[in-house]
Amino acid sequence: MAHRLLVRGARQLLTLRGPAGPRRGANASDLGLVEEGAFLVEDGIITHIGPARRIENLGSARSAEPLDVQGRVVMPGFIDCQTSLIHGSRSLEEHAGRHGADLPLGAPEPPVFWSEMRMIRTATAKRLTAQARIAIARMAANGTTTLDIHSGSGLDEASELKVLRIAHSLDQEPVGVHATFHAAHLTPPEFAGCPDTFLDFLLAELLPQVVRRRLALASAVTCDAGGFGITQARRYLLVARDLGLSLTIHASRFANLGGVQLGISLDARVVSHLEMASRAEIAALASSNTIAVLIPGAAFRGSVSRPAPARALLDSGAAVALATGCNPFDSPIYSMPVVHSLACAQLHMTPAECITATTINAAYALGVASHAGSLEAGKHADFLVLAASDYREIPHALGANLVSATYRHGRRLHVGRLHATD
């Protein structure tokens, strides 16, 4: 027998319904808000959604399990479209030694990255999996229902495959997990001074294994100071595209090397970071299909010289998504609501733009918008109930978790304490 759930009593139901494709321009502020809304879920799929008076009178609603949210906000689950949450565990002394220290610009990877790399290489899959489950539980408790995991901490065959296998094993437990292969961001010590030789290894040996074993659907390259040059990045992305992977390029965080235009020319799904993006790059993104993924938490430990130009991107008509970028170096953030607060305060985004950027646009960034990112008939019932009556409270409540409950496929996630204080 089908399991039906009737969600009713929402003062604000944010559906994010709208035109096909990522939301940009005025559409980035249109949340598809239904006041006094409701929706019906059957076996994890939304079947009907709209004003409560219409949905509650459906014949199928009468036999559904009721979920009365009592005047709260209901919205799609957050989609965190860029994280590096599988990492080694460094000492508290190491963390404390970095507090208050400025990371040198032009050196995007702090010196402790090599310590992290060694830990990833030697850590057992069991330990890394356990740590990742804790991180995912924290994220789900803060409303994340789908997330990306970048590899790239180990930079050798064994550790990169290990991280991707772990990410693959975590999918649906309890959230959706999308894996991105990102070994092409830094040349490891054993290839010191020979980045082209390292790329040869990635393209001839490692990337084909990732595709053959179906461990990732996307591949990323860093085209920036401390990463790879434009010629190297082009070479890498062309092979990744030929192998059927979607493309991500990390660019213009520390320098303008042409990575944004390269990503656009190759129809990359995502270009991320962009703190140093030029006016020409912003204009190019606005006229492209590529999504700009911004990481406001990257400024948390002073590793960037200025915030990403979110306002210029949005005003120009570019499609913008937000992510935690969760990693142990410069953005140790598990909470998408905290990202909302940072984006409003630092990037001058509006609360509505933040919601669009962490739901439907983030879904397009991961290629999952056909079933996630909005509340519509035919999509998965991945949704949040907030301990709030107005969505604008999310960025205002800095540090407070307003997520009262997280649901994925219509089932409540048991991932720790999910109730916020009323």
Side-chain angles (χ1 to χ4, degrees), residues 102-305:
D102 289 332
L103 296 178
L105 298 178
E109 299 297 345
V112 293
F113 179 83
W114 303 123
S115 172
E116 162 71 11
M117 183 194 71
R118 289 189 293 271
M119 289 183 179
I120 280 283
R121 290 183 176 187
T122 58
T124 65
K126 181 178 180 180
R127 193 187 91 187
L128 293 176
T129 300
Q131 291 174 348
R133 288 188 188 281
I134 292 171
I136 288 174
R138 291 172 177 167
M139 291 177 163
N142 282 275
T144 296
T145 53
T146 302
L147 59 87
D148 161 86
I149 295 178
H150 271 42
S151 72
S153 293
L155 302 180
D156 67 355
E157 180 176 333
S159 59
E160 288 296 305
L161 294 177
K162 175 171 60 179
V163 167
L164 291 173
R165 281 195 297 267
I166 292 169
H168 187 72
S169 73
L170 292 170
D171 188 25
Q172 312 299 329
E173 295 187 15
V175 305
V177 174
H178 178 282
T180 297
F181 176 57
H182 189 206
H185 77 92
L186 191 68
T187 303
E190 58 265 36
F191 289 92
C194 303
D196 288 306
T197 304
F198 180 55
L199 282 182
D200 289 340
F201 160 70
L202 294 181
L203 296 175
E205 301 293 335
L206 197 44
L207 193 56
Q209 286 193 63
V210 170
V211 173
R212 186 172 61 253
R213 300 181 187 192
R214 300 180 180 180
L215 293 176
L217 297 175
S219 190
V221 64
T222 296
C223 181
D224 211 329
F228 293 94
I230 190 73
T231 301
Q232 295 162 331
R234 182 188 304 275
R235 178 184 169 215
Y236 180 87
L237 291 173
L238 285 171
V239 174
R241 186 179 67 178
D242 288 345
L243 289 172
L245 297 171
S246 68
L247 306 182
T248 291
I249 185 163
H250 295 218
S252 293
R253 181 179 183 183
F254 299 96
N256 300 98
L257 303 184
V260 173
Q261 288 90 340
L262 172 63
I264 292 169
S265 70
L266 297 180
D267 199 26
R269 182 174 284 159
V270 165
V271 173
S272 70
H273 288 295
L274 302 172
E275 286 86 353
M276 300 295 290
S278 67
R279 291 181 180 178
E281 289 174 323
I282 292 169
L285 282 166
S287 59
S288 76
N289 295 321
T290 300
I291 299 172
V293 173
L294 310 182
I295 318 289
F300 183 69
R301 284 183 173 152
S303 61
V304 293
S305 60

Side-chain angles (χ1 to χ4, degrees), residues 2 14 47 50 110 177 214 239 279 306 329 331 417:
L14 313 183
T47 57
V177 174
R214 300 180 180 180
V239 174
R279 291 181 180 178
R306 64 188 186 194
F329 303 115
S331 187
R417 182 174 175 81

Side-chain angles (χ1 to χ4, degrees), residues 31-164:
L31 303 182
L33 189 152
V34 178
E35 294 184 352
E36 307 302 327
F39 58 97
L40 188 64
V41 178
E42 185 168 326
D43 290 336
I45 304 296
I46 298 170
T47 57
H48 301 82
I49 186 165
R53 61 183 178 275
R54 177 172 65 84
I55 302 302
E56 293 181 19
N57 285 328
L58 294 172
S60 53
R62 295 167 190 165
S63 61
E65 173 190 351
L67 173 62
D68 190 345
V69 301
Q70 301 178 342
R72 298 183 176 189
V73 176
V74 177
M75 61 173 287
F78 295 125
I79 296 176
D80 194 346
C81 58
Q82 186 175 316
T83 82
S84 299
L85 65 81
I86 298 178
H87 53 77
S89 178
R90 302 197 313 280
S91 70
L92 293 177
E93 289 80 6
E94 194 171 65
H95 281 288
R98 298 184 66 235
H99 289 170
D102 289 332
L103 296 178
L105 298 178
E109 299 297 345
V112 293
F113 179 83
W114 303 123
S115 172
E116 162 71 11
M117 183 194 71
R118 289 189 293 271
M119 289 183 179
I120 280 283
R121 290 183 176 187
T122 58
T124 65
K126 181 178 180 180
R127 193 187 91 187
L128 293 176
T129 300
Q131 291 174 348
R133 288 188 188 281
I134 292 171
I136 288 174
R138 291 172 177 167
M139 291 177 163
N142 282 275
T144 296
T145 53
T146 302
L147 59 87
D148 161 86
I149 295 178
H150 271 42
S151 72
S153 293
L155 302 180
D156 67 355
E157 180 176 333
S159 59
E160 288 296 305
L161 294 177
K162 175 171 60 179
V163 167
L164 291 173

